[in-house]
Amino acid sequence: MPFGKCIIGICSPLNYRKLSLLNKIEIKRSNSSDRHFINLVQLLDKELAFRDGDEHAFYAQYNKLDKIKHAVIAYAGQIPVGCGAFKAFEKDKVEIKRMFVLENHRNMGIAALILDSLEVWAKELGYAAAVLETGLMQPEAIGLYKKSGYQLIPNYGQYVGIENSLCFHKILTKELK
């Protein structure tokens, strides 16, 4: 197997599959009225209801789609396989929301592409930092955010005092406004 096609120098069938798939992923910018985004978020909510159990109702009240003007959808060919969004949080910060990848497309780098696309878009709009919240029952998300340079911070806003919540922060530009 040629080294040039390997991810991180490891030539394995899984890494070839990841590389092949990532080359075929298209990220589309949209908003919360996009039917593909809505469908993916419905699947996310079902998964979170299972993972969060009784606490899901608390989180659901803060995840309404009506305030989301910036969403991205990841497509593998014509199939929507993942999504993410952000909304204004403070003058110079966005809050990353509604990150999700279909189960059969996970561990292939798609979530990282979605997150990176959201960060680029936020920077284009003049935002200098991002915050986000995820739950302790979402170890994959925690790993993604740490790997992507997010730092754990004290819980903010509605998440203060919520033991199941972890909040993160990342500087997107060298200069905060």
Side-chain angles (χ1 to χ4, degrees), residues 40-63 83 97-101 106 133-141 145 159 164:
L40 288 164
V41 167
Q42 288 171 344
L43 293 172
L44 167 63
D45 287 337
K46 283 182 185 178
E47 182 172 327
L48 291 177
F50 175 77
R51 288 188 186 213
D52 294 335
D54 293 339
E55 295 181 4
H56 182 68
F58 168 79
Y59 293 105
Q61 67 181 319
Y62 300 111
N63 288 317
C83 66
K97 306 288 290 176
R98 315 291 30 218
M99 290 285 298
F100 179 73
V101 175
R106 292 181 186 166
E133 180 276 339
T134 193
L136 289 174
M137 301 303 290
Q138 299 165 45
E140 309 89 342
Y145 300 137
Y159 306 113
N164 186 45

Side-chain angles (χ1 to χ4, degrees), residues 55-166:
E55 295 181 4
H56 182 68
F58 168 79
Y59 293 105
Q61 67 181 319
Y62 300 111
N63 288 317
K64 305 294 183 210
L65 298 183
D66 59 338
K67 293 188 167 104
I68 295 178
K69 297 177 184 170
H70 304 93
V72 298
I73 301 109
Y75 290 89
Q78 300 297 314
I79 301 167
V81 297
C83 66
F86 68 83
K87 65 179 186 176
F89 181 72
E90 292 176 352
K91 181 181 130 187
D92 62 346
K93 290 181 187 170
V94 295
E95 183 178 28
I96 303 293
K97 306 288 290 176
R98 315 291 30 218
M99 290 285 298
F100 179 73
V101 175
L102 293 175
E103 188 171 0
N104 61 341
H105 285 81
R106 292 181 186 166
N107 299 310
M108 297 180 186
I110 296 171
L113 284 175
I114 291 169
L115 184 58
D116 185 63
S117 297
L118 292 169
E119 291 172 358
V120 166
W121 195 2
K123 286 190 287 190
E124 287 173 6
L125 295 174
Y127 292 100
V131 296
L132 60 86
E133 180 276 339
T134 193
L136 289 174
M137 301 303 290
Q138 299 165 45
E140 309 89 342
I142 295 166
L144 168 68
Y145 300 137
K146 287 182 176 180
K147 185 174 157 182
S148 300
Y150 283 78
Q151 301 295 315
L152 195 60
I153 59 171
N155 287 3
Y156 59 82
Q158 63 268 24
Y159 306 113
V160 171
I162 304 300
E163 292 181 19
N164 186 45
S165 288
L166 293 175

